[in-house]
Amino acid sequence: MVKIGCGGGCILQLHFTSALQSTTASVPNPILRTAMLCGAITGALCFAWVLFLYFSDNNPYGPKRTLADFFPPLAAIASQVMLRRYYQPDGPGLWKSIGVGLLTAFIGAVVSATAFYLFSRLTGPELIEQHLAEVYKLLESTKALYLKEANGLQQYEATLRNLARTPAEFAQDEFSKKLFFGVLISIPGGVFLRK
């Protein structure tokens, strides 16, 4: 509150509220809004990485794609930090903090997997076949290392069997990896950022 004298004995009182000290009453569903915002941005960033690989003549299905697996954990922590501003001064509490991180990771994984599926469908099977040829060549060159280990042949054959070969399988792989890393960080992040 600020008091300003305006001459002749009158005093003007002004009340200021901080935007950072907003309450949940002023914003409906802060958990959902925060998770949707952070999750959608994360999914878009993951897909932007795939597009960057594609347009820079790198294999968008290859191991460089996994560098985008760091976005969901960062988004989960960012959503938990953002949620704290709605629950000042006591903090959101354990379950709300963990929940917003989990929901952010889930939404980010869904957006990323859906975009990657559409990308795989639009670019056609030739790009997937090129990726699989590279993977087969790499696995063939490491087959001797597999065979030196106990059960190496079974591991080699299992690796060949478990390769993603269709757009749906690539999207499923994208979803599970993004969700796993996001959930992995959401729980300890929520414990730490609950207040």
Side-chain angles (χ1 to χ4, degrees), residues 76-77 80-81 94 97-98 184-194:
I77 296 295
Q80 291 166 337
V81 169
L94 180 65
S97 186
I98 290 175
L184 189 67
I185 296 299
S186 292
I187 296 171
V191 171
F192 183 73
L193 296 168
R194 70 186 182 275

Side-chain angles (χ1 to χ4, degrees), residues 22-112:
S22 60
T23 63
T24 55
S26 65
V27 177
N29 299 319
I31 294 171
L32 184 62
R33 290 169 59 106
T34 304
M36 291 289 288
L37 174 68
C38 292
I41 290 171
T42 301
L45 283 173
C46 292
F47 182 60
W49 178 249
V50 170
L51 289 177
F52 171 76
L53 291 174
Y54 177 71
F55 288 116
S56 63
D57 292 328
N58 287 294
N59 182 358
Y61 297 101
K64 290 181 182 177
R65 177 174 56 103
T66 59
L67 292 174
D69 291 346
F70 293 106
F71 291 139
L74 294 175
I77 296 295
S79 69
Q80 291 166 337
V81 169
M82 287 176 63
L83 186 69
R84 292 174 71 189
R85 72 180 178 161
Y86 294 112
Y87 292 95
Q88 293 294 331
D90 298 328
L94 180 65
W95 299 115
K96 289 178 183 173
S97 186
I98 290 175
V100 76
L102 294 175
L103 191 56
T104 298
F106 178 76
I107 292 169
V110 167
V111 170
S112 178

Side-chain angles (χ1 to χ4, degrees), residues 121-163:
R121 298 289 294 186
L122 292 173
T123 55
E126 297 82 19
L127 196 58
I128 294 175
E129 290 169 9
Q130 180 183 352
H131 163 70
L132 290 174
E134 291 175 13
V135 171
Y136 289 140
K137 186 184 290 186
L138 179 66
L139 284 173
E140 191 62 38
S141 68
T142 59
K143 186 174 183 178
L145 296 174
Y146 277 98
L147 297 177
K148 288 180 182 177
E149 297 178 16
N151 298 326
L153 183 60
Q154 290 86 354
Q155 291 177 9
Y156 178 80
E157 291 171 352
T159 303
L160 283 175
R161 270 195 315 271
N162 294 331
L163 287 175

